[in-house]
Amino acid sequence: MKLQADVVIVGAGIIGLCTAMQITKRSSLSVVVVEQSRSLGEGSSGASSAVCRHRYSYNEMLLLARDGINAYRHWPEFIEAAQPLAQFQNEGVLWLADMGDSWASSESRRLEEAGIRSSILDAEQLKDRFPALNPCSLTPDTRSGEAHDCNEGAPYLLEIDGGYFDPVNALQDLSSATRKKGVTIKFLSKIKKVLVQAGKTVGVQFADGSSIEAPHVINATGPWCNDVFDQLELDLSWSLKPTRIQVLHLDRPAELTGALPVCCDMVGGIYFRTQNRGQQIILGSTLEEDEQEVVANPSDYAQTIEDDFMHAKLHALHHRIPSLPYRGTVNGYCGLYTVNRQDVHPIVGRTQIEGFYVANGFSGHGFKLAPAIGSMLAQEITGEICDFDTGVPPAFLSIDRIPLQLDSKNVLA
Ligand SMILES: Cc1cc2nc3c(=O)[nH]c(=O)nc-3n(C[C@H](O)[C@H](O)[C@H](O)COP(=O)(O)OP(=O)(O)OC[C@H]3O[C@@H](n4cnc5c(N)ncnc54)[C@H](O)[C@@H]3O)c2cc1C
């Protein structure tokens, strides 16, 4: 018997599953998600820090982040389930930047204009609200590890509506919710190629020669995206590179009391947030230099944390949280960003091949954007709109756009 579907989504990461959810929210198209792994979360999404911040350099990205995070903030309504596993952690996102006196207020205005609540804190207000945090605006010397005399800086921006999500529970929730709406998710189903006839997509083929016929296929394969592109005659000018990313985690010591928001510490080159009901801290880099290690095979890359990375990031964390004791075990793990080397922003939407869509190159942004990216694709495929949609025009991330102009190509771009 020939398998058929209206839409095949290749990849059951956060992008693929949010897209399946968004399609089924507005149409009765039949959707099959094919996934090479035996379970959820084995790609970028499972390793994601899932920080949900809104501030981006481009207003369109800020709106996509708003619309994506809105789904996480209203998760039961989005996935149409009364008791999901995942819950939005609305801890706020604090920006510690050394960008001059007016930066926080102008960024706050941009957020407010998009309906995202924020406030500006001076150093005293910051210490009152988050007593563990040092408001210093001087960059710590992570190479020598030497201390400096700390200096209070310009006002700080707090995204009141920001926070984080649990990526693995989110995937689990989406899997249950989409199945309930009739989506088939096929595990251990690695596609070998997308089938194209006379410039039109006609399905996908697996290694054993079996296939699924479908007029719409979405490449949501995360760091493996080039395996799919390599099979196609597609004029792809983007350089999308699977890139190894290191993340540390440590138990939160008893000494560290009081609220701790998600911190984007642009001064120290780190971000950190709590997890497991505040009992742990996870810590990653915001520096472009830490997003350079391209891996040849996304299924096989080094999993160990490098000592230099660990020491540098811990030094920056101690600078920001001086009460953090120098004891306890620090662990870590690695995941993959798919970095778009031209402008660290994704490509999304239709391609020159009719019926073939891309959703690739998300760098460190894809988790928060996923429900909005799913909305963009669902609108393109079905022509229908519904709740939890984004109004950002598809041209902004289209495959034939020109690279965005950015001051710095790091994860906070
Ligand atoms: C350490 C780390 C921290 C991050 N932190 C943040 C953050 O704080 N905030 C944020 O917004 N984003 C963050 N990101 C980025 C975000 O997690 C990714 O952009 C997002 O998860 C990408 O999702 P995806 O669905 O495209 O890819 P994936 O999750 O990798 O999913 C792709 C899926 O496709 C499957 N697949 C691949 N090839 C095939 C094939 N041929 N056939 C069938 N299946 C296939 C894979 O097995 C995989 O399950 C982080 C990422 C990492 C690694």
Side-chain angles (χ1 to χ4, degrees):
M1 194 182 69
K2 277 209 160 139
L3 285 175
Q4 288 179 321
D6 294 314
V7 185
V8 170
I9 299 175
V10 189
I14 195 72
I15 297 293
L17 291 179
C18 277
T19 304
M21 190 72 214
Q22 287 282 22
I23 292 172
T24 55
K25 277 175 101 62
R26 73 197 65 215
S27 79
S28 54
L29 292 182
S30 58
V31 179
V32 176
V33 180
V34 291
E35 167 55 50
Q36 66 183 0
S37 309
R38 63 179 64 248
S39 56
L40 295 168
E42 296 194 21
S44 300
S45 306
S48 185
S49 303
V51 167
C52 291
R53 54 100 177 181
H54 300 83
R55 195 207 77 82
Y56 269 94
S57 305
Y58 275 79
N59 279 337
E60 290 88 342
M61 282 294 277
L62 186 153
L63 295 176
L64 284 169
R66 178 196 66 185
D67 298 337
I69 294 168
N70 183 47
Y72 296 132
R73 290 175 63 84
H74 301 94
W75 194 235
E77 293 92 322
F78 180 68
I79 60 163
E80 301 168 25
Q83 289 185 311
L85 299 171
Q87 212 179 0
F88 187 69
Q89 304 297 318
N90 192 181
E91 314 278 305
V93 174
L94 180 68
W95 291 81
L96 298 125
D98 184 18
M99 308 280 278
D101 284 353
S102 60
W103 183 84
S105 50
S106 71
E107 292 305 288
S108 174
R109 261 196 310 280
R110 286 177 64 221
L111 293 170
E112 297 285 339
E113 276 163 19
I116 302 152
R117 292 177 304 154
S118 67
S119 58
I120 313 273
L121 307 179
D122 63 22
E124 286 314 309
Q125 290 166 322
L126 185 137
K127 283 187 272 188
D128 275 354
R129 195 149 176 178
F130 307 114
L133 295 179
N134 172 12
C136 180
S137 62
L138 298 179
T139 299
D141 186 342
T142 55
R143 284 189 205 285
S144 72
E146 283 193 11
H148 59 230
D149 291 332
C150 287
N151 191 359
E152 288 171 5
Y156 311 87
L157 172 68
L158 178 67
E159 289 188 20
I160 296 167
D161 290 333
Y164 65 90
F165 214 55
D166 178 331
V168 177
N169 280 341
L171 294 175
Q172 201 58 55
D173 284 339
L174 283 163
S175 154
S176 309
T178 53
R179 281 185 161 130
K180 233 185 239 169
K181 290 178 86 73
V183 173
T184 303
I185 305 178
K186 285 168 70 70
F187 288 98
L188 293 172
S189 301
K190 176 175 178 155
I191 71 139
K192 200 174 153 209
K193 62 177 175 183
V194 177
L195 301 170
V196 178
Q197 279 170 14
K200 287 188 183 173
T201 304
V202 293
V204 293
Q205 190 175 60
F206 301 95
D208 65 2
S210 64
S211 58
I212 304 177
E213 287 180 3
H216 303 284
V217 172
I218 302 172
N219 183 2
T221 55
W224 291 265
C225 62
N226 295 313
D227 294 350
V228 177
F229 290 133
D230 288 349
Q231 308 290 329
L232 290 165
E233 281 178 30
L234 195 66
D235 187 11
L236 191 73
S237 57
W238 300 99
S239 172
L240 311 177
K241 300 290 185 193
T243 303
R244 191 172 81 104
I245 301 297
Q246 307 180 65
V247 178
L248 304 173
H249 58 97
L250 50 150
D251 287 341
R252 178 180 177 151
E255 294 90 325
L256 211 172
T257 53
L260 208 54
V262 177
C263 288
C264 295
D265 181 353
M266 294 162 91
V267 175
I270 53 171
Y271 71 88
F272 54 93
R273 67 161 175 83
T274 56
Q275 69 175 7
N276 287 347
R277 298 183 188 173
Q279 295 176 73
Q280 277 190 321
I281 296 173
I282 67 171
L283 164 66
S285 172
T286 60
L287 302 179
E288 207 175 324
E289 67 195 41
D290 292 319
E291 295 176 17
Q292 298 304 322
E293 192 184 329
V294 174
V295 307
N297 179 0
S299 303
D300 183 18
Y301 60 95
Q303 291 293 329
T304 44
I305 298 290
E306 273 138 35
D307 283 350
D308 286 356
F309 178 89
M310 186 183 297
H311 292 142
K313 300 308 159 199
L314 284 175
H315 181 68
L317 184 65
H318 277 110
H319 170 254
R320 191 54 71 202
I321 309 181
S323 59
L324 197 70
Y326 284 85
R327 62 169 155 71
T329 312
V330 180
N331 292 303
Y333 52 87
C334 298
L336 296 175
Y337 288 174
T338 312
V339 178
N340 180 347
R341 291 283 158 202
Q342 278 101 324
D343 68 4
V344 293
H345 280 60
I347 51 166
V348 178
R350 349 177 157 268
T351 65
Q352 307 95 304
I353 301 172
E354 193 179 323
F356 177 66
Y357 302 81
V358 292
N360 306 104
F362 284 92
S363 185
H365 316 306
F367 191 86
K368 73 183 73 62
L369 302 180
I373 298 300
S375 155
M376 273 183 150
L377 290 162
Q379 289 183 60
E380 278 196 301
I381 290 171
T382 67
E384 302 290 329
I385 54 167
C386 78
D387 295 348
F388 295 103
D389 265 346
T390 186
V392 172
F396 175 65
L397 294 176
S398 69
I399 194 169
D400 55 2
R401 66 186 169 82
I402 51 166
L404 302 173
Q405 298 301 307
L406 295 156
D407 292 339
S408 122
K409 290 191 206 157
N410 65 24
V411 71
L412 298 180

